[in-house]
Amino acid sequence: RLVSDWSSDVCSSDLLRLLGQNAGLYDERFGSALGIVSSIALLLVGVVWSLAVLGSAEEKRRIADEALRESEERQRLAVDGAQIGMWSWHVPTDVLEFSPLCKKLFGLDADQQLSYPVFEAALHPDDRARTSEIIRRSWEERTDYRIEYRTVWRDGSVHWLAALGRSHYDANGKVENMMGAVLDIDDRKRANLKMDEVQARFRALVEHSWDTITVLDLNGTITYASPETRRVLGYAEGEF
């Protein structure tokens, strides 16, 4: 299906919530999006009431068309406001479609023709096999597809994305299509990697220090003792 046709599926609140939680950004960027999506339900209740009390078929069609346009606009605002890129993949024909924002997040041109090999080529080489494996496993287990991976732009820059997808199956149980969304998590991921680097440097400094260094919890229990501390007190590693 075209992007405009399946936006309502991808914009479901549970899918957005899963993506936001997976990216660690639910509170900051997904709250407003979910609020907009949830309000669509109230809109539809009003439409049902209007259709029940208004008699003419023409009037019913007009109300339904207006409701559909408003619903689509609210969903578009929710997605754009949360900076969510949307995608759809018709698996049997390998027809892959990205929304304009999704192409931007992958560093692709707006007129880029897409297929799975094109998508895979845009991924970091170290993430390609893992991505294919997670997709395959999601089909076998009939679960949502969730992953964080790196995409490499044409200028050589590397960007982290969080992706979530949901598969649909035909009557024979074969995968017909996947639909989902991606979110830029580059800032968060780089901050986490920087923190890991700082912690590794600190640990290396402590491990090679001649000072006695210990870490205690709030109850006064030693949770860490440096090698020098263990040597001075006569303890072997793991005895604290």
Side-chain angles (χ1 to χ4, degrees):
R1 287 184 290 174
L2 296 175
V3 168
S4 59
D5 294 330
W6 49 257
S7 60
S8 60
D9 293 334
V10 179
C11 283
S12 64
S13 61
D14 60 330
L15 197 56
L16 287 174
R17 180 177 290 106
L18 282 172
L19 182 59
Q21 291 172 341
N22 189 57
L25 297 171
Y26 174 73
D27 289 337
E28 297 177 15
R29 292 164 64 180
F30 280 77
S32 60
L34 290 176
I36 295 173
V37 173
S38 299
S39 67
I40 295 171
L42 296 177
L43 171 67
L44 294 178
V45 170
V47 171
V48 171
W49 180 85
S50 298
L51 292 177
V53 300
L54 294 175
S56 72
E58 182 178 349
E59 185 67 12
K60 290 180 180 179
R61 283 195 299 270
R62 184 187 65 79
I63 292 174
D65 289 344
E66 289 180 357
L68 179 60
R69 284 194 297 270
E70 186 171 349
S71 174
E72 290 176 346
E73 178 64 15
R74 290 188 183 209
Q75 293 176 33
R76 185 190 64 79
L77 289 172
V79 171
D80 291 348
Q83 290 293 292
I84 303 170
M86 301 167 63
W87 55 268
S88 173
W89 180 26
H90 188 253
V91 179
T93 59
D94 193 24
V95 174
L96 183 62
E97 294 190 57
F98 283 5
S99 68
L101 178 57
C102 192
K103 286 185 177 181
K104 182 179 179 181
L105 292 175
F106 278 86
L108 300 173
D109 293 336
D111 58 352
Q112 173 74 56
Q113 297 297 311
L114 298 172
S115 62
Y116 188 84
V118 173
F119 158 74
E120 189 174 49
L123 296 179
H124 191 284
D126 294 342
D127 294 342
R128 293 170 186 170
R130 179 171 60 91
T131 300
S132 296
E133 172 62 20
I134 291 177
I135 292 174
R136 182 193 63 79
R137 194 186 311 152
S138 74
W139 291 346
E140 291 181 352
E141 299 175 358
R142 299 287 184 102
T143 57
D144 287 337
Y145 151 75
R146 280 187 275 181
I147 189 174
E148 293 182 359
Y149 48 57
R150 291 161 291 179
T151 179
V152 182
W153 291 12
R154 292 178 180 176
D155 61 5
S157 59
V158 178
H159 305 262
W160 279 95
L161 300 176
L164 177 67
R166 183 165 295 167
S167 298
H168 297 265
Y169 305 85
D170 62 20
N172 297 318
K174 294 184 178 180
V175 180
E176 187 172 42
N177 58 63
M178 289 184 72
M179 295 171 284
V182 294
L183 176 69
D184 182 356
I185 59 168
D186 200 59
D187 290 343
R188 176 182 68 82
K189 200 70 177 181
R190 292 187 186 279
N192 289 345
L193 293 174
K194 186 66 175 179
M195 180 62 68
D196 291 343
E197 180 183 345
V198 170
Q199 290 177 345
R201 289 181 179 179
F202 177 75
R203 177 171 290 276
L205 178 65
V206 170
E207 293 288 327
H208 296 87
S209 174
W210 290 102
D211 295 323
T212 57
I213 301 172
T214 57
V215 177
L216 288 75
D217 62 18
L218 294 177
N219 296 320
T221 303
I222 296 177
T223 59
Y224 171 80
S226 67
E228 183 63 13
T229 301
R230 297 194 301 270
R231 186 191 69 80
V232 170
L233 297 179
Y235 286 94
E237 185 175 1
E239 288 187 346
F240 272 99

